[in-house]
Amino acid sequence: MHYMQPDVDIHGGKCILRPARAEEMAAVYAIEVDSFRSPWSYASFVNELSTSFSRFIVAELPGGIAGYAVAWHVTGEIQLNHIAVKKEYRRRGIARALIDHIVAELRPQGAGVILLEVASKNAAALNFYRALGFAENGTRRNYYPDDDAILMEKRI
């Protein structure tokens, strides 16, 4: 069962946060390719739809899918695997709303921490996660083709 959060007000517009559907994978993948130098494969997103411990949430605005987040819930931990927002909708609170939605769904199911990794050169993402209360707790050297990964966590 998925937690269903009511519509979220994003700078004057209603944003619906809900589980992703198979027919939306093309829209999700377009955001992915536009957002990352080394994007996930289309098949990876499709696979997440049927993975029992995966939470794949989309943010839907009247114009279509504005963003998404993929997280795994395993042994009391949430691993935020992927999150992206369409360029024209960034810095409006959508990514924060996606993370809040996942936490609100999984905290009652026993999740006590949310973990993620982010490229060390991605200053915008690092600042975003710090502003949400995430703390750095390690580094994975050469995790990305041209960068290290900063490990971050937040107790929830």
Side-chain angles (χ1 to χ4, degrees):
M1 184 172 125
H2 288 282
Y3 168 84
M4 292 305 294
Q5 180 173 326
D7 297 353
V8 177
D9 188 36
I10 303 292
H11 289 270
K14 291 297 180 190
C15 182
I16 299 169
L17 303 174
R18 58 168 177 73
R21 297 188 292 247
E23 62 269 19
E24 297 163 334
M25 292 305 97
V28 166
Y29 190 65
I31 296 169
E32 173 76 4
V33 169
D34 195 43
S35 299
F36 298 100
R37 288 179 300 181
S38 298
W40 272 15
S41 70
Y42 184 92
S44 293
F45 285 104
V46 171
N47 187 55
E48 291 297 324
L49 292 170
S50 61
T51 301
S52 64
F53 51 86
S54 181
R55 296 300 181 265
F56 188 170
I57 306 298
V58 295
E60 181 182 21
L61 291 172
I65 303 302
Y68 61 87
V70 177
W72 290 350
H73 181 216
V74 181
T75 63
E77 297 178 347
I78 301 169
Q79 173 65 43
L80 182 63
N81 293 323
H82 234 53
I83 187 167
V85 175
K86 258 184 165 178
K87 286 182 180 174
E88 61 265 33
Y89 297 118
R90 290 182 186 162
R91 306 187 73 81
R92 296 186 187 186
I94 294 172
R96 176 187 295 261
L98 285 162
I99 292 171
D100 289 347
H101 179 89
I102 290 168
V103 168
E105 177 186 345
L106 297 177
R107 184 185 305 143
Q109 296 178 31
V113 64
I114 184 167
L115 308 166
L116 61 88
E117 65 261 341
V118 62
S120 68
K121 296 176 186 173
N122 190 342
L126 284 165
N127 289 333
F128 169 71
Y129 293 124
R130 287 180 188 128
L132 291 182
F134 283 84
E136 296 176 24
N137 67 350
T139 302
R140 287 189 179 135
R141 299 278 175 223
N142 302 310
Y143 184 76
Y144 301 107
D146 63 346
D147 202 357
D148 297 334
I150 303 297
L151 306 176
M152 302 184 87
E153 75 172 49
K154 178 182 178 180
R155 297 275 165 203
I156 55 172

